[in-house]
Amino acid sequence: MGSVHVQTMSKQYEVRIDTGLRHQVGALLKELLQPVSSVLIVTDSNVAPFYLKDVIQSFDESAVVYDYVIESGEASKSFSVYEQLLTKALEVGLDRKSAVIALGGGVVGDLAGFVAATYMRGIRFVQMPTTLLAHDSSVGGKVAINHRLGKNMVGSFHQPEAVLYDTDCLMSLPEEEWKSGFAEVIKHGFIRDEAFLKQLEKEWTSFKTISVERLNDMLARSISVKADVVSEDEQEHGIRAHLNFGHTLGHAIEAQLGYGKITHGEAVAIGMLFALRLSEEMLNVNFHIEQYENWFLQLGYRTKIPASLNRERLLQTMSKDKKVEAGTIRMVLLKRLGEATIVNIPPEKIRVLLDERMEGAHG
Amino acid sequence: MGSVHVQTMSKQYEVRIDTGLRHQVGALLKELLQPVSSVLIVTDSNVAPFYLKDVIQSFDESAVVYDYVIESGEASKSFSVYEQLLTKALEVGLDRKSAVIALGGGVVGDLAGFVAATYMRGIRFVQMPTTLLAHDSSVGGKVAINHRLGKNMVGSFHQPEAVLYDTDCLMSLPEEEWKSGFAEVIKHGFIRDEAFLKQLEKEWTSFKTISVERLNDMLARSISVKADVVSEDEQEHGIRAHLNFGHTLGHAIEAQLGYGKITHGEAVAIGMLFALRLSEEMLNVNFHIEQYENWFLQLGYRTKIPASLNRERLLQTMSKDKKVEAGTIRMVLLKRLGEATIVNIPPEKIRVLLDERMEGAHG
Ligand SMILES: NC(=O)c1ccc[n+]([C@@H]2O[C@H](COP(=O)([O-])OP(=O)(O)OC[C@H]3O[C@@H](n4cnc5c(N)ncnc54)[C@H](O)[C@@H]3O)[C@@H](O)[C@H]2O)c1
Ligand SMILES: NC(=O)c1ccc[n+]([C@@H]2O[C@H](COP(=O)([O-])OP(=O)(O)OC[C@H]3O[C@@H](n4cnc5c(N)ncnc54)[C@H](O)[C@@H]3O)[C@@H](O)[C@H]2O)c1
Ligand SMILES: [Zn+2]
Ligand SMILES: [Zn+2]
């Protein structure tokens, strides 16, 4: 069993990583949340059939436990589902001593977390991540819903009381979702932990043959990186921005392909390789990118920008500004493996490398 | 000109109280918010015709200033208006360096504050109260919208960067609203500042003949009480609950009459007299309530519970519990003038005094 401690200005909490935790939730929360008047478990339509019953049954008879199952998918991070959840909370009578449990991936965590952040001006919540990606999203307290004009545009910072990561749950996760989450693991190596990165390269060449020990170790280490960054900078005034490594292009690819057409992590993987190349150009370093590209390919990632995408529109999204030429684009680059930095980059530099990293281009 | 300093765990800020401040907003914010990329002024349909233009014109040409006018009234503290405001913010492109200005009463402040609290996980905001009641609501960082199942059920704690109180604006305020806001002023005297209470009794026998100096002094002192309480207990874990003096019965009266049928302050005034009587019964003190009752009548308040209301339903709402008999009701009482305390009261005690304080009862 692993455990990572998170210490922010506003709260400190444990991330527990172990198999079978879902059977112990009731007992664990009895300790962690005393007193708790009632809990509302929020989960989604894919996760509920597998694990909801186990979590409910982990509470003893005296506990007051409600649940609410949302449709799986990004579309549930909406105003209307947010409002539905608040209505549910009011109908069952959650009060200031109640808690919300988010049982699911990043969608459930972000949505249920925002409900907890704003119900009666904030009640406690507990993250129970069930995807690999959620090892990242469940730690750090960023919660949000989407607006049609932008993803994660409405939200708060609201740290959980605890993160209970039952790694059994990952066994039912589709390969696609392993790939998506693992990109964030690699990211944590790139930006802050070179030794971890090397270890990942050696040990993780497939998602099919993983021992539970290795998985739990990997998660503890990856979460430690996230926890460190968040501890230093809870509200993203500085270093927390390093977590955006690979995300400037990654987000642009997701947005232009249309959300759901490519997983978040796969887009980030393409973005990280791009950022490595850009680091070479801007910071006078050599990362032997072919080696990472081969590893990514072995794990099943796409490594180039889909040919259907338009360079100028990507640039537009990356710059977040209508007048691209006017300014520079701020991106997270690597000074060396394990050390990130933020650099302002002229659009012309980016154009050249976008061309280079397009599918079908010579590179 | 008056000024009160507010110091909470999460932020410190000034409340400035002066005539004509609306003409200086642009200049003041240039100092307070540097850098600010753009501002969105939120106001309501009653306030806009009087003061919006002045505020807009106070900014110099280089400033990026947007505005949004909501319908006046409590009904605007809704999910749909909240979403409309977020849409506006996204459409005009507010970013993390933007700020929201709430120009209005408590409705505008609570709503615009919640927008600021959750737009991009929180941007800065500035309160410009234009009602007397908002001397209370604009300080302390409580922001919220309503749900059909309960008032202020969805919200956050989000402290403003500054409160700019242009007391000129109170000149257009209807007498009804003076009365409503002044009840909170009296409350601040009762719970924490006996000398202030005595001064109010002496100086305030009508809302028609007030000098600007007296008004500004009174506001500074009343806001100081609020600021002290909030500084000690930002998130209402303890002493902040004292601000609910008069509100347990007050809220029940509002809810049962239907919101808008009686002003908040007038309901609180009835609630305060009730709480004084209950303090006498429970805490072995004598407050000479007739004297306060006469003062309240002179100022135009109702002092008794409207006869149309049902005692058992009031008790129900006050107890926030379906099984009234099971428990006691927690209320803020006074040990002496200027000193509040929280007491658990058996429902039977409350019944007797509710009867006594009903319109038409002998008392
Ligand atoms: N808050 C943060 O800091 C942060 C960070 C990164 C991403 N995010 C957010 O996270 C979301 C993406 O998270 P995600 O990738 O976990 O998405 P997700 O929650 O949609 O999960 C992916 C898919 O896997 C299914 N699933 C979840 N657990 C499963 C299990 N154990 N077995 C089988 N299927 C399972 C889900 O139903 C869904 O279909 C995005 O909305 C993103 O904005 C937030
Ligand atoms: N956040 C807090 O700590 C807190 C505390 C107390 C009350 N509140 C909230 O405050 C709200 C009530 O505030 P309120 O009494 O200011 O209500 P309000 O904002 O509705 O204002 C009362 C009326 O006066 C009008 N008005 C405002 N300024 C005016 C002016 N200068 N001239 C003429 N008309 C003017 C408004 O349009 C409205 O019709 C409630 O929603 C309540 O929940 C919040
Ligand atoms: Zn990511
Ligand atoms: Zn009040």
Side-chain angles (χ1 to χ4, degrees):
Chain A
M1 128 144 201
S3 168
V4 178
H5 186 74
V6 186
Q7 168 86 52
T8 70
M9 290 269 288
S10 63
K11 192 168 285 169
Q12 48 171 305
Y13 53 96
E14 277 332 296
V15 183
R16 299 210 189 181
I17 305 158
D18 205 354
T19 55
L21 279 180
R22 70 191 178 284
H23 298 293
Q24 303 164 38
V25 180
L28 289 169
L29 296 193
K30 220 173 186 170
E31 269 176 51
L32 281 165
L33 299 180
Q34 54 182 178
V36 63
S37 53
S38 56
V39 300
L40 173 62
I41 305 169
V42 180
T43 189
D44 81 15
S45 52
N46 285 338
V47 178
F50 287 116
Y51 310 112
L52 178 56
K53 216 175 121 197
D54 293 343
V55 175
I56 293 174
Q57 287 180 345
S58 77
F59 286 88
D60 62 31
E61 298 235 314
S62 65
V64 184
V65 180
Y66 306 100
D67 63 83
Y68 194 89
V69 181
I70 63 167
E71 274 304 303
S72 73
E74 188 69 30
S76 283
K77 274 173 63 176
S78 67
F79 278 92
S80 79
V81 180
Y82 168 61
E83 193 176 347
Q84 280 162 36
L85 270 163
L86 289 163
T87 302
K88 172 79 181 185
L90 282 162
E91 279 170 355
V92 301
L94 295 201
D95 61 28
R96 291 208 168 77
K97 296 209 159 58
S98 301
V100 172
I101 300 177
L103 174 69
V107 164
V108 167
D110 280 12
L111 171 70
F114 188 50
V115 169
T118 55
Y119 183 72
M120 295 185 163
R121 298 197 183 85
I123 62 173
R124 295 171 295 174
F125 94 115
V126 171
Q127 291 268 23
M128 292 195 61
T130 66
T131 65
L132 180 53
L133 190 127
H135 92 280
D136 175 13
S137 60
S138 65
V139 174
K142 278 191 177 180
V143 297
I145 58 174
N146 302 324
H147 186 284
R148 81 186 141 74
L149 296 174
K151 221 171 148 307
N152 295 326
M153 280 298 141
V154 182
S156 307
F157 290 94
H158 190 59
Q159 303 291 343
E161 299 300 309
V163 182
L164 305 179
Y165 205 162
D166 183 344
T167 47
D168 279 350
C169 297
L170 294 179
M171 298 313 145
S172 54
L173 198 65
E175 167 125 16
E176 217 41 33
E177 300 299 339
W178 276 91
K179 236 193 306 175
S180 183
F182 196 70
E184 308 280 7
V185 178
I186 298 174
K187 180 191 77 180
H188 289 148
F190 272 131
I191 63 169
R192 224 177 143 97
D193 191 341
E194 185 182 3
F196 180 42
L197 179 70
K198 296 273 185 257
Q199 185 186 327
L200 291 172
E201 273 187 83
K202 211 165 56 187
E203 293 181 354
W204 290 76
T205 52
S206 151
F207 300 118
K208 302 226 166 73
T209 52
I210 324 122
S211 72
V212 173
E213 291 72 33
R214 227 162 235 193
L215 173 61
N216 289 2
D217 276 2
M218 175 275 274
L219 287 170
R221 191 138 177 198
S222 189
I223 289 171
S224 294
V225 170
K226 175 83 184 247
D228 278 358
V229 171
V230 168
S231 300
E232 280 180 46
D233 176 22
E234 181 171 11
Q235 300 222 354
E236 195 161 357
H237 299 301
I239 196 185
R240 189 163 181 166
H242 290 181
L243 297 172
N244 290 327
F245 180 66
H247 282 61
T248 310
L249 176 58
H251 282 149
I253 292 173
E254 281 184 277
Q256 204 180 127
L257 274 181
Y259 288 96
K261 292 291 187 314
I262 187 170
T263 64
H264 176 66
E266 193 146 37
V268 168
I270 299 169
M272 290 195 290
L273 291 168
F274 178 79
L276 285 179
R277 270 295 288 130
L278 202 51
S279 304
E280 291 184 333
E281 291 292 313
M282 300 293 295
L283 300 175
N284 200 22
V285 281
N286 186 340
F287 290 125
H288 306 286
I289 291 175
E290 323 73 58
Q291 144 200 359
Y292 295 110
E293 189 148 9
N294 288 335
W295 179 37
F296 282 24
L297 286 168
Q298 191 181 7
L299 285 169
Y301 290 100
R302 295 165 79 161
T303 57
K304 298 288 185 84
I305 302 164
S308 63
L309 299 183
N310 176 278
R311 186 190 72 180
E312 288 306 305
R313 280 186 56 209
L314 287 174
L315 195 65
Q316 184 81 70
T317 316
M318 290 170 78
S319 81
K320 284 173 197 156
D321 197 323
K322 299 215 176 75
K323 318 168 292 302
V324 171
E325 295 316 319
T328 53
I329 297 179
R330 284 171 72 77
M331 279 183 65
V332 184
L333 301 185
L334 296 193
K335 284 201 256 192
R336 53 173 198 80
L337 295 177
E339 189 174 348
T341 184
I342 294 179
V343 181
N344 290 316
I345 305 163
E348 203 40 53
K349 281 270 178 211
I350 296 190
R351 275 203 185 88
V352 174
L353 289 190
L354 285 175
D355 284 341
E356 180 190 310
R357 307 271 331 148
M358 280 277 172
E359 270 170 7
H362 314 273
Chain B
M1 133 148 195
S3 168
V4 178
H5 186 75
V6 186
Q7 168 87 53
T8 69
M9 290 270 288
S10 63
K11 191 167 284 168
Q12 47 171 305
Y13 54 94
E14 272 338 292
V15 183
R16 298 209 190 181
I17 305 158
D18 205 355
T19 55
L21 279 182
R22 69 190 179 285
H23 299 293
Q24 304 163 39
V25 180
L28 289 169
L29 296 194
K30 222 173 186 168
E31 268 175 53
L32 282 165
L33 298 181
Q34 54 181 178
V36 64
S37 53
S38 57
V39 300
L40 173 61
I41 305 169
V42 180
T43 188
D44 81 16
S45 53
N46 284 339
V47 178
F50 287 117
Y51 310 112
L52 178 57
K53 215 174 122 198
D54 293 342
V55 175
I56 292 175
Q57 287 180 346
S58 76
F59 287 88
D60 62 30
E61 299 235 315
S62 65
V64 183
V65 179
Y66 306 100
D67 63 83
Y68 194 91
V69 181
I70 63 166
E71 275 303 303
S72 73
E74 188 69 30
S76 284
K77 275 173 63 176
S78 66
F79 278 93
S80 79
V81 180
Y82 168 62
E83 192 176 348
Q84 281 162 36
L85 271 163
L86 290 164
T87 301
K88 172 79 179 184
L90 282 162
E91 279 170 356
V92 302
L94 295 202
D95 61 28
R96 291 207 167 77
K97 297 208 158 58
S98 302
V100 172
I101 300 178
L103 174 68
V107 164
V108 167
D110 280 13
L111 171 69
F114 188 49
V115 169
T118 55
Y119 183 71
M120 296 186 163
R121 298 198 183 85
I123 63 174
R124 294 171 297 174
F125 94 116
V126 172
Q127 292 268 23
M128 292 195 62
T130 66
T131 65
L132 181 52
L133 190 129
H135 93 279
D136 175 13
S137 61
S138 65
V139 174
K142 277 191 178 180
V143 296
I145 57 175
N146 301 325
H147 186 285
R148 84 187 137 75
L149 295 176
K151 219 171 150 306
N152 295 326
M153 279 298 140
V154 182
S156 307
F157 289 95
H158 190 58
Q159 303 291 342
E161 299 300 310
V163 181
L164 305 179
Y165 205 161
D166 183 344
T167 48
D168 279 349
C169 297
L170 295 178
M171 298 313 144
S172 54
L173 198 65
E175 167 125 17
E176 215 42 32
E177 300 299 337
W178 275 92
K179 236 192 307 175
S180 183
F182 196 70
E184 307 280 7
V185 178
I186 298 173
K187 179 190 77 179
H188 289 149
F190 272 131
I191 63 169
R192 223 177 144 96
D193 191 341
E194 184 181 4
F196 180 43
L197 179 71
K198 296 272 185 256
Q199 185 187 327
L200 291 172
E201 274 186 82
K202 212 165 56 188
E203 294 181 355
W204 290 76
T205 51
S206 150
F207 300 117
K208 302 227 166 74
T209 53
I210 324 122
S211 72
V212 173
E213 292 70 36
R214 228 162 234 194
L215 173 61
N216 290 1
D217 276 1
M218 174 275 274
L219 287 171
R221 190 138 178 198
S222 189
I223 289 172
S224 294
V225 170
K226 175 86 184 244
D228 279 358
V229 171
V230 168
S231 301
E232 280 181 46
D233 176 21
E234 181 171 12
Q235 300 222 351
E236 195 162 357
H237 300 302
I239 197 186
R240 189 163 181 167
H242 290 179
L243 297 171
N244 290 326
F245 181 66
H247 282 60
T248 310
L249 176 59
H251 282 150
I253 292 173
E254 282 184 277
Q256 203 179 130
L257 272 182
Y259 287 97
K261 293 291 187 315
I262 187 169
T263 64
H264 176 66
E266 192 147 36
V268 168
I270 299 169
M272 289 194 290
L273 291 168
F274 178 79
L276 285 178
R277 268 298 286 131
L278 202 51
S279 304
E280 292 184 333
E281 291 292 313
M282 300 291 297
L283 301 174
N284 200 22
V285 282
N286 187 340
F287 290 124
H288 306 286
I289 292 176
E290 324 73 57
Q291 144 198 0
Y292 296 110
E293 189 147 9
N294 287 334
W295 179 35
F296 282 22
L297 286 167
Q298 192 181 8
L299 285 168
Y301 291 99
R302 293 166 81 161
T303 57
K304 297 287 184 84
I305 301 165
S308 63
L309 299 183
N310 175 279
R311 186 190 71 180
E312 288 306 306
R313 280 186 55 209
L314 287 174
L315 195 65
Q316 182 81 70
T317 316
M318 292 170 76
S319 82
K320 286 175 195 152
D321 198 324
K322 299 213 176 77
K323 319 167 291 306
V324 170
E325 295 316 319
T328 54
I329 297 179
R330 282 170 74 76
M331 280 183 65
V332 184
L333 301 184
L334 296 193
K335 285 201 257 192
R336 51 173 199 81
L337 294 176
E339 189 175 349
T341 185
I342 294 179
V343 181
N344 290 317
I345 305 162
E348 202 39 53
K349 282 270 178 207
I350 296 190
R351 275 202 185 88
V352 174
L353 288 189
L354 284 175
D355 283 342
E356 181 191 310
R357 306 271 333 149
M358 281 276 172
E359 270 170 5
H362 315 273

